[in-house]
Each structure stands twice: as structure tokens, then as C-alpha cells.
Amino acid sequence: AAVAATLDTGTVMDAALTMAVNDAFDWSVINTGGNTFTVTASTGHTIVGNAVVAITTTGMFRTVKTAANTFVTYRIN
């Protein structure tokens, strides 16, 4: 079955990380499985761009803190 990976909420991200507004980090998904991998949004954390990482491909993402308890994740490839 397809895999859905829900991003942590903005509140959880803010509690777990020491980031100032406009700080960012990059991360990737390497899909070696036999199903699509979809990144999904949550409260206080949105996603911009194609959230689906197809079978046997990779996806690069950048997560930016935009305000207190608020994050945006961008697909960058």
C-alpha cells in the first residue's frame, strides 16, 4: 500500500528544535520500496510543491520556520 508520512505539527516542531524564524533545514526521502511515498501536512505545518515521491526516486525538501509554531516544507527537487 502507499505510504503517507505526516509532518509533525508546528507546535511539536517548535518544541523539539531550536530554530529562529527563517531558519531552515533540508531533508530527503529515498523511496526504494514498491509503493509511492507521500508527505502530508499537519496543523501549523504546510507543504508546498509535489509531496509524492514516486517508486525508486528521491525527493529533496526544505523545512522553514516562518513564525512561532509555524513551518512550511517546500519540495526543492
Side-chain angles (χ1 to χ4, degrees), residues 1-5 29 31-39 50-57:
V3 175
V29 173
N31 187 352
T32 60
N35 300 295
T36 58
F37 184 101
T38 303
V39 180
N50 185 3
V52 177
V53 181
I55 299 165
T56 67
T57 66

Side-chain angles (χ1 to χ4, degrees), residues 13-40:
M13 294 282 291
D14 223 14
L17 302 170
T18 304
M19 294 178 71
V21 172
N22 295 321
D23 281 354
F25 63 91
D26 294 345
W27 54 279
S28 62
V29 173
I30 302 170
N31 187 352
T32 60
N35 300 295
T36 58
F37 184 101
T38 303
V39 180
T40 59

Side-chain angles (χ1 to χ4, degrees), residues 38-69:
T38 303
V39 180
T40 59
S42 62
T43 303
H45 197 157
T46 57
I47 186 159
V48 176
N50 185 3
V52 177
V53 181
I55 299 165
T56 67
T57 66
T58 61
M60 291 290 301
F61 298 87
R62 176 168 292 137
T63 298
V64 181
K65 181 176 179 174
T66 58
N69 299 325

